[in-house]
Amino acid sequence: MKKIALLLSCFICLGMLTACGGGSEKIPPAAGADPFGYIEQGVLGMEEGQAAALDENLIRDEGEPGEGVIYYKSVDWEKIRYEVSLNVASGRIEKIFYSIHVDIDQKEQAADKIKELISDCEKRYGAVAESILVPASGEHLPITGSMEEEILRFCDSTDPQEIVLQWPLGTQGAHGELFSTMVISNREFDGAEGFWISYLIAAAQ
């Protein structure tokens, strides 16, 4: 579960960065798992300056000593918040971290967005290898039934829980990116109740 811990750590850092305000963009985020088009633009592995020039709304943050440079932004669109960070290592973009938030009272919209993201990831990266439900107790319960039914149940539940979806180790997309884990949560974060969908895309080494 180290990948889940890494995702949650990225989620906390990104939430702190974007809490200062949403973006001012007028262009709607795209449907699917790459709402800002960074994967398609080949940002992973790109030099920092070149990547930053692609999007004037990215904000540069040098972080704490040893953490490295991060570019981030957030966009609110139709009651959904899209947050992203680009992590820099050795002068190049090494990782893209997406986090998407839907308000707690928008259960149908949350279910539709979750299904849309999973469907797009399966088109990009193949079938999910393992589906796990993590309730407040911390147990890891394999999901064996219909994923669509599980998502609807999850969105209706008032109990804090997460769904963890894992793809086979080393899974690569059409642009050479590595993808392995998506975490879907209905837990409150930083005072904001809602549904959070988080995932990390990394450059191939």
Side-chain angles (χ1 to χ4, degrees):
M1 291 289 124
K2 290 183 179 179
K3 293 176 184 174
I4 300 174
L6 174 61
L7 267 177
L8 294 177
S9 175
C10 291
F11 177 41
I12 292 169
C13 291
L14 181 56
M16 292 172 66
L17 288 170
T18 58
C20 297
S24 58
E25 293 187 26
K26 301 303 180 183
I27 300 173
D34 189 24
F36 298 132
Y38 294 145
I39 299 172
E40 277 72 14
Q41 293 179 77
V43 164
L44 287 168
M46 190 179 285
E47 290 186 359
E48 176 187 344
Q50 184 182 1
L54 292 175
D55 191 339
E56 63 181 11
N57 292 296
L58 285 167
I59 300 170
R60 190 177 191 272
D61 186 272
E62 296 189 4
E64 298 296 325
E67 289 184 355
V69 173
I70 292 175
Y71 287 84
Y72 68 92
K73 75 172 183 178
S74 66
V75 174
D76 295 309
W77 195 270
E78 295 183 347
K79 299 183 180 180
I80 298 178
R81 166 163 284 211
Y82 299 83
E83 300 178 347
V84 68
S85 71
L86 308 179
N87 295 56
V88 179
S90 301
R92 293 182 180 273
I93 305 301
E94 179 185 45
K95 297 173 184 175
I96 301 171
F97 177 72
Y98 275 117
S99 183
I100 298 171
H101 172 249
V102 184
D103 288 346
I104 195 67
D105 60 349
Q106 301 295 320
K107 295 182 178 181
E108 289 187 11
Q109 189 177 27
D112 288 343
K113 176 56 69 174
I114 292 168
K115 287 186 284 186
E116 171 200 304
L117 289 168
I118 294 174
S119 176
D120 189 53
C121 283
E122 289 189 323
K123 289 177 183 176
R124 292 171 181 268
Y125 308 115
V128 174
E130 189 174 20
S131 307
I132 302 167
L133 175 67
V134 186
S137 65
E139 295 178 89
H140 289 71
L141 309 173
I143 297 172
T144 56
S146 162
M147 179 56 69
E148 184 165 347
E149 290 178 0
E150 186 64 33
I151 291 168
L152 292 173
R153 186 209 59 75
F154 172 85
C155 290
D156 277 334
S157 175
T158 57
D159 298 323
Q161 53 192 288
E162 294 169 352
I163 291 176
V164 179
L165 305 177
Q166 294 186 311
W167 278 256
L169 186 65
T171 293
Q172 283 189 273
H175 299 273
E177 75 277 13
L178 295 172
F179 186 86
S180 63
T181 306
M182 175 182 287
V183 177
I184 305 163
S185 175
N186 67 354
R187 301 170 189 263
E188 180 179 325
F189 172 72
D190 198 26
E193 289 186 311
F195 303 93
W196 301 88
I197 308 104
S198 305
Y199 48 97
L200 185 73
I201 307 111
Q205 300 298 316

